[in-house]
Amino acid sequence: MIFSRKTDYGLRALMYLAERRARGPVTLSEIAEKLMIPKAFLSKILQQLAKKGVVRSLKGPSGGFVLAVEPSEVTLQEILTEIDGPTRVFECFATESDCTLYGDCLMREVFSEVEDQIGSVLSRYTLADFRYSEKQADSTASKA
Amino acid sequence: MIFSRKTDYGLRALMYLAERRARGPVTLSEIAEKLMIPKAFLSKILQQLAKKGVVRSLKGPSGGFVLAVEPSEVTLQEILTEIDGPTRVFECFATESDCTLYGDCLMREVFSEVEDQIGSVLSRYTLADFRYSEKQADSTASKA
DNA sequence: CGAAAAGCGGACCTCAATGGTCCTATTCAG
DNA sequence: CTGAATAGGACCATTGAGGTCCGCTTTTCG
Ligand code: FES
Ligand code: FES
């Protein structure tokens, strides 16, 4: 799996925060419960995102987390990189003299091409493209 | 790292075999030494590739491994898949009701788009594009 | 035939990363 | 001051990657 569970959690949490942005800080507990993410673990992820400036955290009563950026201004690429670090595609373990062309091996180019393609897809989407729609009206849906 | 060390080893071994194709079976020991790959480990990889029909293995004295396919007929995509299994990009751990659009979430589409892009790059190259050039003339190189 | 030279394949080991927990300290509203 | 919240460090468990070992089988050749 290229992207970890941590990424999944973080991404969904951010989606959730994007939705509540206007309504002030959301507590860790709320997010964890709604999204069914282990609270302590989510805490770590959010702390990490707070340090990177993606979310802001407020302590004390009526504290919680708020999205600190415009949803439409932050790309998937950026978010994923901030949570998981850069996506490493391939590491060649050959010694120089074993590599086909020594420093100019086609393989390196292929894999850097792969990396670029990944980045290019992920850069085309921003947080704003993903909305946490509450599935409002308790799901029995249609009419009433 | 998306592609494992195993993949690296396997890929390089195949490059090596592609080069020697005409000269009959190459022993595990030779490949392992030349490419500086742990012998026992390489053995496993080659066994795996033998089962998939990419290489053919001959037992007994004067046995070894031979490439069983036309280098230009097998894509990187196929090789990597055979060694590492399909490239899994993202697994969503949300429950259905937590997923933004329930079964039709944009996230799924983005990540499947990523997967396609990777596949498309890797499918453009075949084993024939990668040649193990022996770095003949012992490297002190230039004039002399 | 029988020994040596290969590969086969299953059991096993090790280590680092992932995923996750816990507990204490800090901060702040009321 | 007290209680509700995050911060953050220490810790733990599971998993998978990477790798080793060794006995078994097949095949060639003298
Ligand atoms: S053989 Fe590794 S990059 Fe060329
Ligand atoms: S929230 Fe996971 S795929 Fe939509």
Side-chain angles (χ1 to χ4, degrees):
Chain A
M1 210 63 53
I2 298 184
F3 297 105
S4 65
R5 190 177 295 224
K6 193 171 154 190
T7 297
D8 177 82
Y9 290 162
L11 208 41
R12 273 161 49 217
L14 288 179
M15 280 164 54
Y16 191 85
L17 286 177
E19 216 65 22
R20 316 273 143 148
R21 207 152 157 253
R23 271 168 277 174
V26 185
T27 70
L28 177 63
S29 299
E30 177 182 335
I31 311 177
E33 269 168 46
K34 290 269 189 161
L35 266 43
M36 310 242 299
I37 300 172
K39 197 170 147 182
F41 191 30
L42 180 58
S43 168
K44 289 288 176 288
I45 301 171
L46 256 8
Q47 274 174 46
Q48 190 178 330
L49 289 171
K51 263 183 224 153
K52 310 274 183 145
V54 181
V55 300
R56 194 150 30 86
S57 70
L58 293 315
K59 286 189 184 180
S62 83
F65 295 90
V66 213
L67 195 65
V69 295
E70 270 300 325
S72 61
E73 306 259 310
V74 55
T75 67
L76 262 200
Q77 168 80 325
E78 288 161 348
I79 296 173
L80 300 197
T81 301
E82 262 143 20
I83 296 180
D84 253 357
T87 304
R88 316 274 305 110
V89 172
F90 184 80
E91 170 183 1
C92 177
F93 297 97
T95 57
E96 292 175 344
S97 58
D98 286 326
C99 190
T100 37
L101 281 174
Y102 178 39
D104 197 27
C105 179
L106 220 203
M107 232 152 87
R108 287 187 219 277
E109 283 165 52
V110 172
F111 288 109
S112 108
E113 198 180 322
V114 169
E115 208 165 315
D116 291 348
Q117 288 302 314
I118 297 176
S120 121
V121 173
L122 295 180
S123 296
R124 285 211 307 279
Y125 298 90
T126 73
L127 235 203
D129 295 321
F130 302 85
R131 323 208 114 250
Y132 178 85
S133 49
E134 180 83 78
K135 224 79 66 188
Q136 60 222 99
D138 39 4
S139 73
T140 22
S142 68
K143 200 53 196 296
Chain B
M1 210 64 54
I2 298 183
F3 297 107
S4 66
R5 189 176 294 223
K6 193 170 154 191
T7 297
D8 178 82
Y9 291 162
L11 209 41
R12 274 162 47 217
L14 288 179
M15 279 163 55
Y16 191 84
L17 286 177
E19 217 65 24
R20 316 274 144 150
R21 208 150 158 253
R23 272 169 279 174
V26 184
T27 69
L28 177 63
S29 298
E30 178 182 336
I31 310 176
E33 269 168 47
K34 290 271 187 159
L35 266 41
M36 309 240 300
I37 300 173
K39 197 169 145 183
F41 192 31
L42 181 58
S43 168
K44 290 288 177 289
I45 301 172
L46 256 9
Q47 274 174 45
Q48 191 178 330
L49 288 171
K51 263 180 223 152
K52 310 272 183 144
V54 181
V55 301
R56 195 151 29 88
S57 71
L58 292 316
K59 286 189 182 179
S62 82
F65 294 90
V66 213
L67 195 66
V69 295
E70 269 301 326
S72 61
E73 305 260 310
V74 53
T75 66
L76 262 201
Q77 167 78 328
E78 287 160 347
I79 296 173
L80 299 197
T81 301
E82 262 144 20
I83 296 179
D84 252 358
T87 304
R88 315 274 304 110
V89 171
F90 184 80
E91 169 182 1
C92 178
F93 297 96
T95 56
E96 293 175 345
S97 59
D98 287 327
C99 189
T100 35
L101 280 175
Y102 179 38
D104 197 29
C105 181
L106 220 203
M107 233 151 88
R108 288 187 217 277
E109 283 165 51
V110 172
F111 289 108
S112 106
E113 198 180 323
V114 169
E115 209 165 314
D116 291 347
Q117 288 300 313
I118 296 176
S120 119
V121 174
L122 295 180
S123 297
R124 286 211 307 277
Y125 299 90
T126 74
L127 235 202
D129 294 322
F130 302 86
R131 323 208 113 250
Y132 178 86
S133 50
E134 182 83 77
K135 223 78 64 192
Q136 57 223 102
D138 40 4
S139 72
T140 22
S142 68
K143 197 58 196 291

Short mmCIF file of all heavy atoms in Angstrom, two decimals, chain A residues 37-86:
data_model
loop_
_atom_site.label_atom_id
_atom_site.label_comp_id
_atom_site.label_asym_id
_atom_site.label_seq_id
_atom_site.Cartn_x
_atom_site.Cartn_y
_atom_site.Cartn_z
N ILE A 37 -12.17 6.60 14.22
CA ILE A 37 -10.71 6.52 14.24
C ILE A 37 -10.27 6.45 15.69
O ILE A 37 -10.81 7.17 16.53
CB ILE A 37 -10.11 7.78 13.58
CG1 ILE A 37 -10.58 7.89 12.13
CG2 ILE A 37 -8.59 7.76 13.67
CD1 ILE A 37 -10.19 9.20 11.46
N PRO A 38 -9.31 5.59 16.03
CA PRO A 38 -8.81 5.52 17.40
C PRO A 38 -8.36 6.89 17.87
O PRO A 38 -7.51 7.53 17.23
CB PRO A 38 -7.62 4.57 17.31
CG PRO A 38 -7.85 3.77 16.08
CD PRO A 38 -8.65 4.62 15.16
N LYS A 39 -8.92 7.33 18.96
CA LYS A 39 -8.73 8.69 19.43
C LYS A 39 -7.26 9.06 19.63
O LYS A 39 -6.78 10.08 19.11
CB LYS A 39 -9.48 8.86 20.74
CG LYS A 39 -9.72 10.29 21.14
CD LYS A 39 -10.68 10.33 22.33
CE LYS A 39 -10.34 11.50 23.25
NZ LYS A 39 -11.23 11.53 24.45
N ALA A 40 -6.54 8.22 20.36
CA ALA A 40 -5.15 8.54 20.69
C ALA A 40 -4.31 8.64 19.42
O ALA A 40 -3.39 9.47 19.33
CB ALA A 40 -4.57 7.49 21.62
N PHE A 41 -4.63 7.82 18.48
CA PHE A 41 -3.86 7.80 17.24
C PHE A 41 -4.15 9.05 16.43
O PHE A 41 -3.25 9.74 15.95
CB PHE A 41 -4.20 6.54 16.44
CG PHE A 41 -3.28 6.28 15.29
CD1 PHE A 41 -1.95 6.68 15.32
CD2 PHE A 41 -3.75 5.62 14.16
CE1 PHE A 41 -1.10 6.43 14.25
CE2 PHE A 41 -2.90 5.36 13.09
CZ PHE A 41 -1.58 5.76 13.13
N LEU A 42 -5.43 9.37 16.33
CA LEU A 42 -5.82 10.56 15.59
C LEU A 42 -5.18 11.79 16.22
O LEU A 42 -4.75 12.71 15.53
CB LEU A 42 -7.34 10.71 15.61
CG LEU A 42 -7.89 11.93 14.87
CD1 LEU A 42 -7.47 11.93 13.40
CD2 LEU A 42 -9.41 11.99 14.97
N SER A 43 -5.09 11.76 17.53
CA SER A 43 -4.46 12.86 18.24
C SER A 43 -3.07 13.13 17.69
O SER A 43 -2.68 14.26 17.40
CB SER A 43 -4.39 12.52 19.72
OG SER A 43 -3.55 13.45 20.39
N LYS A 44 -2.31 12.06 17.53
CA LYS A 44 -0.95 12.18 17.00
C LYS A 44 -0.95 12.79 15.60
O LYS A 44 -0.14 13.66 15.27
CB LYS A 44 -0.30 10.81 16.94
CG LYS A 44 0.04 10.24 18.29
CD LYS A 44 1.22 10.99 18.89
CE LYS A 44 1.54 10.53 20.30
NZ LYS A 44 0.56 10.97 21.30
N ILE A 45 -1.85 12.32 14.78
CA ILE A 45 -1.91 12.79 13.40
C ILE A 45 -2.23 14.27 13.35
O ILE A 45 -1.59 15.04 12.63
CB ILE A 45 -2.97 11.99 12.61
CG1 ILE A 45 -2.62 10.50 12.64
CG2 ILE A 45 -3.07 12.50 11.18
CD1 ILE A 45 -3.70 9.61 12.07
N LEU A 46 -3.21 14.67 14.16
CA LEU A 46 -3.62 16.06 14.18
C LEU A 46 -2.51 16.94 14.75
O LEU A 46 -2.28 18.06 14.28
CB LEU A 46 -4.90 16.20 14.99
CG LEU A 46 -6.24 16.40 14.26
CD1 LEU A 46 -6.13 16.24 12.76
CD2 LEU A 46 -7.31 15.52 14.82
N GLN A 47 -1.82 16.43 15.72
CA GLN A 47 -0.68 17.19 16.27
C GLN A 47 0.34 17.46 15.17
O GLN A 47 0.86 18.56 15.04
CB GLN A 47 0.00 16.37 17.37
CG GLN A 47 -0.62 16.53 18.75
CD GLN A 47 0.02 15.58 19.76
OE1 GLN A 47 1.23 15.45 19.82
NE2 GLN A 47 -0.80 14.91 20.56
N GLN A 48 0.55 16.42 14.39
CA GLN A 48 1.51 16.54 13.31
C GLN A 48 1.08 17.58 12.29
O GLN A 48 1.85 18.45 11.87
CB GLN A 48 1.64 15.17 12.64
CG GLN A 48 2.77 15.05 11.65
CD GLN A 48 2.82 13.63 11.07
OE1 GLN A 48 2.45 12.66 11.73
NE2 GLN A 48 3.26 13.52 9.82
N LEU A 49 -0.19 17.53 11.94
CA LEU A 49 -0.72 18.49 10.98
C LEU A 49 -0.74 19.89 11.56
O LEU A 49 -0.64 20.88 10.82
CB LEU A 49 -2.13 18.06 10.55
CG LEU A 49 -2.18 16.83 9.65
CD1 LEU A 49 -3.61 16.34 9.46
CD2 LEU A 49 -1.54 17.14 8.29
N ALA A 50 -0.86 19.97 12.86
CA ALA A 50 -0.86 21.28 13.51
C ALA A 50 0.53 21.91 13.38
O ALA A 50 0.65 23.10 13.10
CB ALA A 50 -1.25 21.13 14.97
N LYS A 51 1.54 21.09 13.56
CA LYS A 51 2.90 21.61 13.44
C LYS A 51 3.19 22.09 12.05
O LYS A 51 3.94 23.06 11.86
CB LYS A 51 3.89 20.51 13.83
CG LYS A 51 4.36 20.62 15.25
CD LYS A 51 5.39 19.55 15.57
CE LYS A 51 5.09 18.94 16.93
NZ LYS A 51 5.57 17.56 17.05
N LYS A 52 2.61 21.44 11.08
CA LYS A 52 2.82 21.84 9.69
C LYS A 52 1.93 23.02 9.31
O LYS A 52 2.01 23.52 8.19
CB LYS A 52 2.51 20.67 8.75
CG LYS A 52 3.19 19.38 9.12
CD LYS A 52 4.59 19.30 8.52
CE LYS A 52 5.20 17.95 8.86
NZ LYS A 52 6.04 17.43 7.80
N GLY A 53 1.04 23.39 10.22
CA GLY A 53 0.22 24.54 9.95
C GLY A 53 -1.03 24.27 9.14
O GLY A 53 -1.69 25.20 8.67
N VAL A 54 -1.37 23.01 8.97
CA VAL A 54 -2.57 22.69 8.21
C VAL A 54 -3.82 22.88 9.06
O VAL A 54 -4.86 23.33 8.59
CB VAL A 54 -2.52 21.26 7.66
CG1 VAL A 54 -3.76 20.95 6.84
CG2 VAL A 54 -1.27 21.05 6.84
N VAL A 55 -3.70 22.52 10.32
CA VAL A 55 -4.80 22.79 11.24
C VAL A 55 -4.26 23.64 12.38
O VAL A 55 -3.06 23.76 12.56
CB VAL A 55 -5.40 21.49 11.83
CG1 VAL A 55 -5.93 20.60 10.73
CG2 VAL A 55 -4.37 20.76 12.67
N ARG A 56 -5.20 24.25 13.11
CA ARG A 56 -4.79 24.98 14.29
C ARG A 56 -5.44 24.30 15.48
O ARG A 56 -6.57 23.82 15.38
CB ARG A 56 -5.26 26.44 14.19
CG ARG A 56 -4.61 27.38 15.17
CD ARG A 56 -4.52 28.81 14.59
NE ARG A 56 -5.63 29.04 13.67
CZ ARG A 56 -6.85 29.48 14.05
NH1 ARG A 56 -7.09 29.78 15.30
NH2 ARG A 56 -7.81 29.65 13.15
N SER A 57 -4.73 24.25 16.58
CA SER A 57 -5.30 23.57 17.75
C SER A 57 -5.49 24.56 18.88
O SER A 57 -4.64 25.41 19.12
CB SER A 57 -4.38 22.44 18.19
OG SER A 57 -3.21 22.97 18.74
N LEU A 58 -6.62 24.45 19.55
CA LEU A 58 -6.92 25.31 20.68
C LEU A 58 -7.10 24.46 21.91
O LEU A 58 -7.90 23.53 21.91
CB LEU A 58 -8.23 26.08 20.46
CG LEU A 58 -8.34 27.15 19.37
CD1 LEU A 58 -7.13 28.07 19.38
CD2 LEU A 58 -8.54 26.53 18.01
N LYS A 59 -6.36 24.81 22.95
CA LYS A 59 -6.49 24.04 24.18
C LYS A 59 -7.62 24.58 25.02
O LYS A 59 -8.25 25.58 24.68
CB LYS A 59 -5.19 24.14 24.98
CG LYS A 59 -4.04 23.33 24.43
CD LYS A 59 -2.90 23.34 25.43
CE LYS A 59 -1.67 22.62 24.90
NZ LYS A 59 -0.59 22.65 25.89
N GLY A 60 -7.83 23.90 26.13
CA GLY A 60 -8.81 24.38 27.09
C GLY A 60 -10.24 24.12 26.69
O GLY A 60 -10.50 23.63 25.60
N PRO A 61 -11.15 24.43 27.57
CA PRO A 61 -12.57 24.22 27.31
C PRO A 61 -12.96 24.97 26.05
O PRO A 61 -12.43 26.04 25.77
CB PRO A 61 -13.25 24.84 28.54
CG PRO A 61 -12.19 24.97 29.56
CD PRO A 61 -10.89 25.09 28.85
N SER A 62 -13.86 24.37 25.30
CA SER A 62 -14.29 24.90 24.00
C SER A 62 -13.13 24.98 23.02
O SER A 62 -13.18 25.73 22.06
CB SER A 62 -14.98 26.24 24.14
OG SER A 62 -14.04 27.30 24.20
N GLY A 63 -12.13 24.19 23.29
CA GLY A 63 -11.02 24.10 22.35
C GLY A 63 -11.28 23.02 21.32
O GLY A 63 -12.41 22.55 21.18
N GLY A 64 -10.23 22.65 20.60
CA GLY A 64 -10.38 21.63 19.57
C GLY A 64 -9.50 21.95 18.38
O GLY A 64 -8.51 22.66 18.52
N PHE A 65 -9.90 21.47 17.23
CA PHE A 65 -9.12 21.71 16.03
C PHE A 65 -9.92 22.47 14.97
O PHE A 65 -11.11 22.25 14.81
CB PHE A 65 -8.65 20.38 15.44
CG PHE A 65 -7.69 19.64 16.32
CD1 PHE A 65 -8.15 18.73 17.27
CD2 PHE A 65 -6.32 19.87 16.23
CE1 PHE A 65 -7.26 18.05 18.10
CE2 PHE A 65 -5.42 19.19 17.06
CZ PHE A 65 -5.91 18.29 17.99
N VAL A 66 -9.23 23.36 14.29
CA VAL A 66 -9.84 24.07 13.18
C VAL A 66 -8.91 23.97 11.99
O VAL A 66 -7.69 24.00 12.15
CB VAL A 66 -9.99 25.58 13.44
CG1 VAL A 66 -11.23 26.13 12.76
CG2 VAL A 66 -9.93 25.89 14.89
N LEU A 67 -9.49 23.90 10.81
CA LEU A 67 -8.68 23.91 9.62
C LEU A 67 -8.02 25.28 9.51
O LEU A 67 -8.67 26.30 9.70
CB LEU A 67 -9.57 23.66 8.39
CG LEU A 67 -8.84 23.29 7.12
CD1 LEU A 67 -8.14 21.95 7.29
CD2 LEU A 67 -9.79 23.25 5.95
N ALA A 68 -6.76 25.31 9.20
CA ALA A 68 -6.05 26.58 9.19
C ALA A 68 -5.80 27.09 7.78
O ALA A 68 -5.17 28.11 7.59
CB ALA A 68 -4.72 26.44 9.93
N VAL A 69 -6.27 26.36 6.79
CA VAL A 69 -6.04 26.76 5.41
C VAL A 69 -7.34 26.75 4.62
O VAL A 69 -8.32 26.17 5.04
CB VAL A 69 -5.05 25.79 4.73
CG1 VAL A 69 -3.68 25.86 5.37
CG2 VAL A 69 -5.58 24.37 4.79
N GLU A 70 -7.31 27.43 3.49
CA GLU A 70 -8.45 27.37 2.58
C GLU A 70 -8.49 25.99 1.92
O GLU A 70 -7.50 25.60 1.30
CB GLU A 70 -8.28 28.43 1.48
CG GLU A 70 -8.86 29.78 1.80
CD GLU A 70 -10.37 29.71 2.06
OE1 GLU A 70 -11.05 28.89 1.39
OE2 GLU A 70 -10.84 30.47 2.91
N PRO A 71 -9.59 25.31 2.04
CA PRO A 71 -9.67 23.97 1.46
C PRO A 71 -9.26 23.95 -0.02
O PRO A 71 -8.62 23.00 -0.47
CB PRO A 71 -11.15 23.62 1.59
CG PRO A 71 -11.61 24.40 2.76
CD PRO A 71 -10.81 25.66 2.77
N SER A 72 -9.58 24.99 -0.72
CA SER A 72 -9.28 24.99 -2.15
C SER A 72 -7.82 25.35 -2.44
O SER A 72 -7.38 25.34 -3.57
CB SER A 72 -10.18 25.97 -2.88
OG SER A 72 -9.96 27.27 -2.36
N GLU A 73 -7.09 25.63 -1.38
CA GLU A 73 -5.71 26.05 -1.59
C GLU A 73 -4.70 24.96 -1.25
O GLU A 73 -3.51 25.12 -1.44
CB GLU A 73 -5.40 27.27 -0.71
CG GLU A 73 -6.34 28.42 -0.88
CD GLU A 73 -5.74 29.51 -1.76
OE1 GLU A 73 -4.59 29.92 -1.49
OE2 GLU A 73 -6.43 29.94 -2.71
N VAL A 74 -5.18 23.90 -0.69
CA VAL A 74 -4.25 22.84 -0.32
C VAL A 74 -4.53 21.58 -1.14
O VAL A 74 -5.64 21.06 -1.16
CB VAL A 74 -4.31 22.56 1.20
CG1 VAL A 74 -5.72 22.25 1.65
CG2 VAL A 74 -3.37 21.44 1.58
N THR A 75 -3.51 21.14 -1.85
CA THR A 75 -3.68 19.98 -2.73
C THR A 75 -3.51 18.66 -1.97
O THR A 75 -2.89 18.63 -0.91
CB THR A 75 -2.65 20.00 -3.87
OG1 THR A 75 -1.35 19.80 -3.31
CG2 THR A 75 -2.68 21.31 -4.61
N LEU A 76 -4.06 17.64 -2.55
CA LEU A 76 -3.89 16.30 -2.00
C LEU A 76 -2.41 15.99 -1.86
O LEU A 76 -1.96 15.43 -0.88
CB LEU A 76 -4.50 15.26 -2.95
CG LEU A 76 -5.89 14.74 -2.66
CD1 LEU A 76 -6.11 13.42 -3.37
CD2 LEU A 76 -6.07 14.56 -1.17
N GLN A 77 -1.70 16.37 -2.86
CA GLN A 77 -0.25 16.15 -2.89
C GLN A 77 0.39 16.69 -1.61
O GLN A 77 1.18 16.00 -0.95
CB GLN A 77 0.32 16.85 -4.13
CG GLN A 77 1.82 16.98 -4.16
CD GLN A 77 2.49 15.69 -4.59
OE1 GLN A 77 2.02 14.59 -4.28
NE2 GLN A 77 3.59 15.82 -5.27
N GLU A 78 0.05 17.91 -1.27
CA GLU A 78 0.63 18.53 -0.09
C GLU A 78 0.22 17.80 1.20
O GLU A 78 1.06 17.53 2.06
CB GLU A 78 0.20 20.00 0.01
CG GLU A 78 0.89 20.88 -1.03
CD GLU A 78 0.15 22.19 -1.26
OE1 GLU A 78 -1.01 22.33 -0.81
OE2 GLU A 78 0.72 23.08 -1.92
N ILE A 79 -1.04 17.49 1.28
CA ILE A 79 -1.52 16.82 2.48
C ILE A 79 -0.84 15.48 2.67
O ILE A 79 -0.31 15.17 3.74
CB ILE A 79 -3.04 16.59 2.39
CG1 ILE A 79 -3.77 17.93 2.36
CG2 ILE A 79 -3.53 15.75 3.56
CD1 ILE A 79 -5.25 17.81 2.12
N LEU A 80 -0.83 14.69 1.62
CA LEU A 80 -0.24 13.36 1.73
C LEU A 80 1.24 13.44 2.07
O LEU A 80 1.74 12.65 2.86
CB LEU A 80 -0.44 12.58 0.44
CG LEU A 80 -1.88 12.35 0.03
CD1 LEU A 80 -1.98 11.25 -1.01
CD2 LEU A 80 -2.74 11.99 1.23
N THR A 81 1.91 14.40 1.49
CA THR A 81 3.32 14.56 1.79
C THR A 81 3.52 14.95 3.24
O THR A 81 4.45 14.48 3.90
CB THR A 81 3.94 15.63 0.88
OG1 THR A 81 3.76 15.24 -0.47
CG2 THR A 81 5.42 15.78 1.17
N GLU A 82 2.64 15.77 3.73
CA GLU A 82 2.80 16.20 5.11
C GLU A 82 2.53 15.09 6.11
O GLU A 82 3.11 15.05 7.18
CB GLU A 82 1.90 17.41 5.40
CG GLU A 82 2.67 18.71 5.32
CD GLU A 82 1.86 19.84 4.73
OE1 GLU A 82 0.62 19.74 4.74
OE2 GLU A 82 2.46 20.82 4.25
N ILE A 83 1.66 14.20 5.75
CA ILE A 83 1.35 13.12 6.67
C ILE A 83 2.36 11.98 6.56
O ILE A 83 2.87 11.48 7.56
CB ILE A 83 -0.07 12.56 6.42
CG1 ILE A 83 -1.11 13.63 6.71
CG2 ILE A 83 -0.32 11.33 7.30
CD1 ILE A 83 -2.53 13.19 6.49
N ASP A 84 2.65 11.58 5.36
CA ASP A 84 3.45 10.37 5.16
C ASP A 84 4.88 10.65 4.73
O ASP A 84 5.67 9.72 4.60
CB ASP A 84 2.80 9.52 4.07
CG ASP A 84 2.13 8.30 4.65
OD1 ASP A 84 2.24 8.11 5.87
OD2 ASP A 84 1.50 7.54 3.89
N GLY A 85 5.21 11.87 4.50
CA GLY A 85 6.49 12.16 3.89
C GLY A 85 6.39 11.94 2.40
O GLY A 85 5.39 11.42 1.92
N PRO A 86 7.44 12.33 1.66
CA PRO A 86 7.40 12.21 0.21
C PRO A 86 7.24 10.76 -0.23
O PRO A 86 7.72 9.85 0.42
CB PRO A 86 8.76 12.77 -0.22
CG PRO A 86 9.62 12.72 0.98
CD PRO A 86 8.71 12.87 2.14
#
